[in-house]
Amino acid sequence: MQYQYHYEDRSDIRPPKKHNHVLAVIVAVVTVAGLCVASGLLGAAFQRKSQGRLIPTTSIVYQGTDTHPLKHYTENGELTVEGVAAVCAPSVVEIRTEEVVGGGFFQQYIEQGAGSGVIVSDNGYIVTNHHVVDGAEEIVVTISDGQQARATLVNSDAVTDIAVIKIEAEGLIPAVIYAGEDDGLRVGQTVVAIGNPLGSLGGSVTDGIISALERDVVVDGQKMKLMQTNAAINPGNSGGGLFNTHGELIGIVNAKKSGTDVEGLGFAIPIKTAWTVASDIMSYGYVKGRVDPDAISFNEIASNSLFGQKRGLYVVSAPGTPFETGDYIVTVDGQSIKTKKEWNALLSEKKAGEQVAVVVERKGVARELSYTLPEKKA
């Protein structure tokens, strides 16, 4: 792969002639006025209405050193791709993970992984993907200025593929969270993805458009409703940010469709979903209202056996529920359930506190039980 770099030719820039005092004064006045307008536009770009808890308490600060900030804006006052990169890149981090994996003959080895994350508070909270940090025993974060810090996992949610990690730091630059309505995002709208592709190219910026807003996509067996983009997404981008031309975080990158005949199919978790989950994790340590599918322990029989056991789920342990050890699950709300995966999928569509009708077979007799779905708090 070849990389092309563009260097801006500044050879035509010359200092003003010393003897032309009038011209110097005019240039100075115009420059100051231009910078004031730029400052006003920049302030307007990040002055957002606070709707609920979708805005971080710390505002983002422009970190660029460019003396000509107006070139970061289009004629309609939105940021260019260059402007989005300058404003948003400091909020995106690289993530490296290590996991101890068991090998053959009682051997173990270290498996390394890489991903991206987005800073959402100035004191070290970072949003990333569940699959980026799942199982990791060590998480190391590199922020945009090259500093590294070990992170701890606050909690993660496999259903939405969102995780929150925390580093001990102050004065970080959080992303501005998009707080608009869903109809404020449009198919065809320019977006910018910032992340750590291939685990070694941190701070990489790619641009594209929103290709679709609500795609039903199955990722690792989990059905999700995702935003589709044609911005280049590669391994390592997972957990990175998808930004609009106001410099706002509109999605958390989490998947790419790959194949020799596939191009430009990337996906991101919409920020409304991602931020709701992340906010709960930061506030409570878990996702409120999420059903705990593991409150009942099952033995899953893959096929009918010679000993009379039928394919399906058998209750092993279910304290505090109407189930008894040995109960065979027949249906849940009228739907046949044969695997733990099917059980989890059905419960993921419901909320804690809801009641479901479960038909079980107990000692050869069918019984209908009312089961109140418990909340997952860990």
Side-chain angles (χ1 to χ4, degrees), residues 246-374:
H246 296 291
E248 298 167 319
L249 181 67
I250 63 170
I252 300 295
V253 174
N254 78 320
K256 176 192 178 182
K257 181 68 174 178
S258 60
T260 57
D261 57 344
V262 176
E263 184 176 349
L265 278 178
F267 298 94
I269 303 162
I271 195 59
K272 184 168 287 188
T273 298
W275 186 242
T276 298
V277 171
S279 296
D280 276 356
I281 291 176
M282 289 186 288
S283 299
Y284 310 108
Y286 64 94
V287 183
K288 290 184 69 65
R290 179 79 75 241
V291 177
D292 185 1
D294 300 317
I296 301 174
S297 176
F298 292 108
N299 180 26
E300 181 176 331
I301 303 299
S303 60
N304 295 343
S305 73
L306 297 176
F307 303 100
Q309 287 182 309
K310 295 180 289 185
R311 172 178 174 267
L313 297 177
Y314 290 83
V315 174
V316 174
S317 176
T321 74
F323 299 97
E324 294 183 4
T325 300
D327 283 351
Y328 172 74
I329 305 298
V330 180
T331 62
V332 180
D333 278 351
Q335 181 176 330
S336 177
I337 299 295
K338 297 297 183 183
T339 66
K340 184 65 185 300
K341 183 177 178 180
E342 292 174 347
W343 170 270
N344 291 348
L346 187 145
L347 265 56
S348 70
E349 298 176 354
K350 300 184 179 297
K351 294 183 178 180
E354 288 187 39
Q355 289 188 332
V356 294
V358 183
V359 175
V360 302
E361 187 177 296
R362 182 181 296 170
K363 298 178 180 178
V365 179
R367 298 172 179 265
E368 181 172 315
L369 308 176
S370 180
Y371 177 44
T372 302
L373 300 175

Side-chain angles (χ1 to χ4, degrees), residues 7 15 49 80 202 211 239 245 262:
Y7 296 93
K49 288 185 178 180
T80 62
S211 303
T245 51
V262 176

Side-chain angles (χ1 to χ4, degrees), residues 6 49 56 84 87 117 122 125-126 128 141 150 205 216-217 219 245 252 255 259 283 285 298-299 367 374-375:
H6 173 72
K49 288 185 178 180
V84 175
V87 170
D122 60 0
Y125 283 101
I126 297 168
T128 185
V141 168
R150 281 185 169 80
V205 176
D216 289 324
V217 181
V219 181
T245 51
I252 300 295
S283 299
F298 292 108
N299 180 26
R367 298 172 179 265
E375 186 175 50

Side-chain angles (χ1 to χ4, degrees), residues 93-97 113-117 128 132-133 139-141 165 196:
V93 303
E94 304 170 37
I95 296 176
R96 177 175 58 81
T97 63
S116 308
T128 185
V132 169
V133 296
I139 305 170
V140 177
V141 168
I165 60 177
N196 180 30

Side-chain angles (χ1 to χ4, degrees), residues 17-28:
K17 296 180 180 179
K18 293 183 180 180
H19 64 270
N20 194 339
H21 299 292
V22 176
L23 178 59
V25 171
I26 294 174
V27 170

Side-chain angles (χ1 to χ4, degrees), residues 147-162:
Q147 295 186 65
Q148 293 188 336
R150 281 185 169 80
T152 57
L153 175 65
V154 180
N155 209 340
S156 66
D157 179 51
V159 175
T160 56
D161 197 23
I162 288 294

Side-chain angles (χ1 to χ4, degrees), residues 42-43 45-47 56-65 73 79 83-91 122 144 171-176 247:
L42 186 61
F46 295 105
Q47 187 177 5
T57 56
T58 304
S59 298
I60 193 168
V61 179
Y62 180 72
Q63 295 294 303
T65 58
Y73 290 87
L79 288 165
V84 175
V87 170
C88 301
S91 301
D122 60 0
S144 61
L172 298 178
I173 302 172
V176 174

